[in-house]
Tab-separated table of all heavy atoms in Angstrom:
chain	number	residue	atom	x	y	z
A	112	LYS	N	291.699	74.904	-94.170
A	112	LYS	CA	292.041	74.315	-92.870
A	112	LYS	C	293.054	75.187	-92.117
A	112	LYS	O	293.094	75.185	-90.892
A	112	LYS	CB	292.583	72.902	-93.067
A	112	LYS	CG	291.523	71.908	-93.546
A	112	LYS	CD	292.103	70.511	-93.685
A	112	LYS	CE	291.012	69.481	-93.969
A	112	LYS	NZ	290.297	69.746	-95.227
A	113	GLU	N	293.880	75.914	-92.873
A	113	GLU	CA	294.841	76.840	-92.282
A	113	GLU	C	294.657	78.214	-92.922
A	113	GLU	O	294.223	78.317	-94.066
A	113	GLU	CB	296.280	76.361	-92.518
A	113	GLU	CG	296.604	75.010	-91.902
A	113	GLU	CD	298.034	74.594	-92.184
A	113	GLU	OE1	298.804	75.441	-92.689
A	113	GLU	OE2	298.366	73.431	-91.926
A	114	ALA	N	294.984	79.254	-92.180
A	114	ALA	CA	294.887	80.611	-92.721
A	114	ALA	C	295.786	80.744	-93.953
A	114	ALA	O	296.922	80.264	-93.961
A	114	ALA	CB	295.301	81.628	-91.664
A	115	ILE	N	295.264	81.370	-95.006
A	115	ILE	CA	296.018	81.544	-96.244
A	115	ILE	C	297.128	82.569	-96.023
A	115	ILE	O	296.914	83.629	-95.433
A	115	ILE	CB	295.089	82.008	-97.376
A	115	ILE	CG1	294.029	80.924	-97.654
A	115	ILE	CG2	295.878	82.322	-98.641
A	115	ILE	CD1	292.940	81.373	-98.602
A	116	LYS	N	298.330	82.234	-96.492
A	116	LYS	CA	299.493	83.111	-96.357
A	116	LYS	C	299.961	83.553	-97.734
A	116	LYS	O	299.741	82.855	-98.722
A	116	LYS	CB	300.618	82.399	-95.605
A	116	LYS	CG	300.248	81.963	-94.192
A	116	LYS	CD	301.407	81.219	-93.550
A	116	LYS	CE	301.085	80.813	-92.122
A	116	LYS	NZ	299.945	79.866	-92.069
A	117	MET	N	300.621	84.681	-97.799
A	117	MET	CA	301.161	85.167	-99.059
A	117	MET	C	302.150	84.147	-99.626
A	117	MET	O	303.010	83.635	-98.913
A	117	MET	CB	301.842	86.519	-98.870
A	117	MET	CG	300.866	87.641	-98.530
A	117	MET	SD	299.632	87.897	-99.827
A	117	MET	CE	300.640	88.615	-101.110
A	118	GLY	N	301.985	83.856	-100.905
A	118	GLY	CA	302.824	82.858	-101.548
A	118	GLY	C	302.212	81.477	-101.560
A	118	GLY	O	302.769	80.569	-102.194
A	119	ASP	N	301.086	81.281	-100.864
A	119	ASP	CA	300.365	80.016	-101.018
A	119	ASP	C	299.888	79.909	-102.461
A	119	ASP	O	299.752	80.907	-103.169
A	119	ASP	CB	299.197	79.924	-100.033
A	119	ASP	CG	299.654	79.549	-98.622
A	119	ASP	OD1	300.822	79.120	-98.464
A	119	ASP	OD2	298.859	79.686	-97.681
A	120	LEU	N	299.612	78.690	-102.893
A	120	LEU	CA	299.410	78.426	-104.307
A	120	LEU	C	297.938	78.545	-104.694
A	120	LEU	O	297.096	77.781	-104.235
A	120	LEU	CB	299.945	77.029	-104.653
A	120	LEU	CG	301.389	76.769	-104.188
A	120	LEU	CD1	301.816	75.351	-104.539
A	120	LEU	CD2	302.345	77.793	-104.793
A	121	GLY	N	297.658	79.518	-105.533
A	121	GLY	CA	296.288	79.760	-105.960
A	121	GLY	C	296.010	81.252	-106.044
A	121	GLY	O	296.913	82.089	-105.914
A	122	ILE	N	294.742	81.588	-106.250
A	122	ILE	CA	294.345	82.996	-106.339
A	122	ILE	C	294.334	83.583	-104.938
A	122	ILE	O	293.567	83.157	-104.086
A	122	ILE	CB	292.959	83.132	-106.990
A	122	ILE	CG1	292.974	82.526	-108.400
A	122	ILE	CG2	292.532	84.609	-107.059
A	122	ILE	CD1	291.601	82.354	-109.002
A	123	GLN	N	295.186	84.571	-104.705
A	123	GLN	CA	295.350	85.147	-103.375
A	123	GLN	C	294.602	86.462	-103.201
A	123	GLN	O	294.034	86.725	-102.148
A	123	GLN	CB	296.836	85.384	-103.108
A	123	GLN	CG	297.664	84.108	-103.095
A	123	GLN	CD	298.691	84.130	-101.997
A	123	GLN	OE1	299.547	84.997	-101.962
A	123	GLN	NE2	298.598	83.186	-101.084
Side-chain angles (χ1 to χ4, degrees):
K112 291 182 172 61
E113 299 179 10
I115 297 171
K116 300 178 178 63
M117 292 299 289
D119 281 347
L120 308 178
I122 301 168
Q123 297 221 300

